[in-house]
Amino acid sequence: MTVTKEIVVERLKTVNGPDFSGNIVDLGLVSDIFIADGKVFFSITVPAARAQEMEPLRAAAERVVKAIPGVNGAVVALTAEKKGGGMEAPVPQRPAPPRPAAAPAARPAPHAPASQSQGKRGVPGIASIIAVASGKGGVGKSTTAVNIALGLAAKGLKVGVLDADIYGPSMPKLLGIHGRPETVDGKILKPMQNYGLKVMSMGFLVDEETPMIWRGPMVMSALTQMLREVEWGLLDVLIVDMPPGTGDAQLTMAQQVPLAGAVIVSTPQDLALIDARKGLNMFKKVDVPLLGIVENMSYFVAPDTGKRYDIFGHGGAKKEAERLGVTFLGEVPLEMGIRESSDAGAPVTVARPDSVEAKTYRDIATKVWERLQEEKDASEAATPTIVFE
């Protein structure tokens, strides 16, 4: 059975609106509906002040859509944004129930990890989550992320990769993975695998040429599902290839995901470093440890003459790391082989493991792992202990 927008709309008309007044379609609360490979995406507009209590409404909409024959899954988000043509009629408000007397605020357990005390829920089975980010696109962040992941795997660690770039997923291409992920009981996705990595990406769920024209709430809903509704199993590290930039999606991801640390990727020139500083400051504001900076496209060596050219300048990221007191993880050259192997779906660390470039990435991965252990040790040392005498 082919799933159409009309079928989805008719089913959604069976879902009551807030306070059982009408249905969510006739009230204009449903956004444009996007369907790809049997998976349905849409959002529901609700009053911002009542978003938390509207979760059952969202769950009901998700349930009726998933029950449609031919639907493989649904991504439904709540949003307070006004969509075009939607929410023209005011949503009726019910009187607020009397509030109980305020109870003393509960303190976090003394031995609870910092991420939990800040309200960040961990992912079962994943020991550490590392973000690889950049202040702007086009600096080689995804290529760096996948080669760091492969470098960590080469150390004998169990590694996964989450491609969090909804608008421009690149992991299917970089890792040469094709096809659709299977599901467990029709609910939990099984990650795709290659080169010893477990991988999840929107690129596995939507055709390569399908444009993703979502707003922030839908993006975050999709990211949350790809993180928490995937059978990752036991992982030492999950590398998150973050979307480029420092917008709402990136900030919300940094705030809600228990990141053990972040790696910033930049090219050497001043313009790129300006954006890299924004990324560094974003992670600092949400108390995510900075594991270090990678300078990508650091220099170019002509293959015919062996002469070195600093096309984008050189050493800018290293100087910035020194200025900010952040670890400089290493410099990666602008090298044709890295591009060719990446385009072929065989990153340089697996295509040419003995090359200088592969060794550079493995050295960076080693430094990332060392910095991660240092941050863990520092966090444990800062945790108060109770001694009975």
Side-chain angles (χ1 to χ4, degrees), residues 59-352:
E62 184 179 274
R63 257 195 322 273
V64 299
V65 171
K66 283 184 174 179
I68 299 172
V71 170
N72 300 323
V75 174
V76 185
L78 291 178
T79 175
E81 292 180 298
K82 182 177 178 180
K83 303 294 183 184
M87 208 172 178
E88 295 299 335
V91 178
Q93 301 286 322
R94 63 183 177 191
R99 294 186 178 181
R107 296 183 179 180
H111 293 286
S115 61
Q116 291 184 16
S117 65
Q118 295 170 3
K120 298 180 183 179
R121 181 164 56 93
V123 181
I126 300 179
S128 299
I129 303 177
I130 298 175
V132 177
S134 64
K136 62 182 293 182
V139 299
K141 168 185 55 64
S142 296
T143 300
T144 303
V146 76
N147 280 290
I148 287 176
L150 289 165
L152 292 171
K155 295 173 66 66
L157 301 171
K158 295 179 180 178
V159 184
V161 178
L162 171 61
D163 188 350
D165 191 349
I166 296 294
Y167 300 111
S170 52
M171 287 303 153
K173 178 76 171 178
L174 284 170
L175 289 167
I177 303 176
H178 308 283
R180 306 293 186 202
E182 298 178 356
T183 63
V184 181
D185 299 329
K187 298 178 182 178
I188 305 298
L189 291 171
K190 290 184 179 180
M192 306 292 274
Q193 297 191 46
N194 201 10
Y195 306 123
L197 302 178
K198 293 183 177 181
V199 189
M200 183 49 60
S201 169
M202 183 57 69
F204 300 140
L205 305 174
V206 177
D207 289 336
E208 184 177 348
E209 296 181 359
T210 300
M212 306 305 291
I213 48 176
W214 299 345
R215 297 190 182 189
M218 293 189 74
V219 171
M220 286 314 304
S221 181
L223 288 177
T224 299
Q225 288 195 342
M226 288 199 298
L227 176 67
R228 302 191 184 280
E229 297 183 18
V230 171
E231 192 180 55
W232 291 109
L234 297 178
L235 294 179
D236 295 302
V237 182
L238 177 68
I239 297 292
V240 179
D241 181 19
M242 295 282 282
T246 53
D248 288 343
Q250 294 85 341
L251 181 59
T252 306
M253 189 83 173
Q255 288 174 324
Q256 295 185 358
V257 176
L259 297 174
V263 173
I264 302 294
V265 181
S266 178
T267 45
Q269 72 268 38
D270 291 341
L271 285 175
L273 290 169
I274 290 172
D275 293 309
R277 291 183 197 113
K278 295 177 183 177
L280 286 163
N281 290 330
M282 179 187 73
F283 287 113
K284 283 183 177 179
K285 286 183 179 179
V286 292
D287 296 322
V288 173
L290 296 170
L291 303 181
I293 299 177
V294 174
E295 182 171 287
N296 196 33
M297 307 182 199
S298 182
Y299 56 89
F300 172 73
V301 177
D304 52 348
T305 65
K307 184 177 179 180
R308 171 172 164 158
Y309 298 88
D310 295 335
I311 296 175
F312 301 114
H314 179 259
K318 184 175 183 179
K319 291 176 183 176
E320 187 68 15
E322 292 172 350
R323 187 181 73 83
L324 298 172
V326 177
T327 301
F328 181 65
L329 297 170
E331 53 187 38
V332 180
L334 178 62
E335 201 266 337
M336 191 177 297
I338 295 177
R339 193 271 303 166
E340 290 175 339
S341 60
S342 296
D343 285 349
V348 67
T349 43
V350 292
R352 295 184 290 128

